[in-house]
Amino acid sequence: MENALDAEKATLFLIAFTALWILMCIAFSMWGGWSQLTDRYRGTLSKAKAKWRFESASMRRMAAYPGCLKFSVGREGLGISILFLFRVGHPPLLIPWTDITTHTSESRIIKKVRLEFAKEPNVPLTISLKLARRIRDASTAYWNSNFV
């Protein structure tokens, strides 16, 4: 009898945890703006020239994605996706090079590059200068960027 109660509690916990996880991923996507970018830029690259995994970025309203993003460069544009565990509410993005503009910003310690997108200008994506340079260097045939 006691084992049956323990199994039932464990099952209920797993159901509740999974439901909460899904709700949190969807809410975070809406809060930071990923869901708005999905409306305009949902897609994947047909062939990636370069990829960087476990990268970080931030979006509006201080929504941070630390070490859970993958950036890909291809002829069609910049691909951005998230680790499988956080994929709910975060489908892969494919942003055409012509829709991306950059702005460099500096804090006292860290230099960053803010990417803005033509179809969703109120949803910027901020990445490290190091990652921005790697993207720029891999995409010179496709993209003219204006940061150092």
Side-chain angles (χ1 to χ4, degrees):
M1 177 96 162
E2 198 171 302
N3 288 339
L5 285 175
D6 288 342
E8 187 176 313
K9 286 179 183 177
T11 302
L12 287 174
F13 172 78
L14 286 174
I15 291 170
F17 180 83
T18 303
L20 183 61
W21 186 267
I22 290 168
L23 286 173
M24 293 300 294
C25 285
I26 291 170
F28 198 72
S29 172
M30 294 170 76
W31 175 260
W34 193 288
S35 62
Q36 283 89 333
L37 291 177
T38 299
D39 293 341
R40 306 278 191 202
Y41 297 114
R42 186 178 193 154
T44 55
L45 287 170
S46 59
K47 184 178 180 186
K49 178 181 175 184
K51 295 178 187 177
W52 301 275
R53 290 185 166 92
F54 307 110
E55 295 294 340
S56 301
S58 61
M59 296 181 81
R60 67 179 186 190
R61 298 182 185 139
M62 298 187 317
Y65 292 90
C68 61
L69 297 177
K70 179 176 86 173
F71 289 82
S72 305
V73 168
R75 182 177 304 279
E76 307 100 313
L78 177 64
I80 308 169
S81 60
I82 194 164
L83 289 175
F84 175 76
L85 286 174
F86 307 103
R87 184 91 27 103
V88 175
H90 294 82
L93 303 173
L94 175 57
I95 302 159
W97 296 116
T98 55
D99 283 11
I100 303 172
T101 57
T102 59
H103 304 279
T104 306
S105 62
E106 283 186 49
S107 66
R108 291 183 181 179
I109 302 170
I110 302 171
K111 293 182 180 182
K112 296 183 177 191
V113 175
R114 188 176 73 241
L115 306 178
E116 292 181 356
F117 311 112
K119 294 178 185 170
E120 284 295 339
N122 295 324
V123 185
L125 183 76
T126 304
I127 59 176
S128 69
L129 180 61
K130 180 180 176 182
L131 175 60
R133 285 179 174 160
R134 284 189 271 161
I135 292 169
R136 178 198 61 202
D137 294 345
S139 65
T140 54
Y142 323 119
W143 184 42
N144 279 331
S145 55
N146 61 353
F147 63 90
V148 179

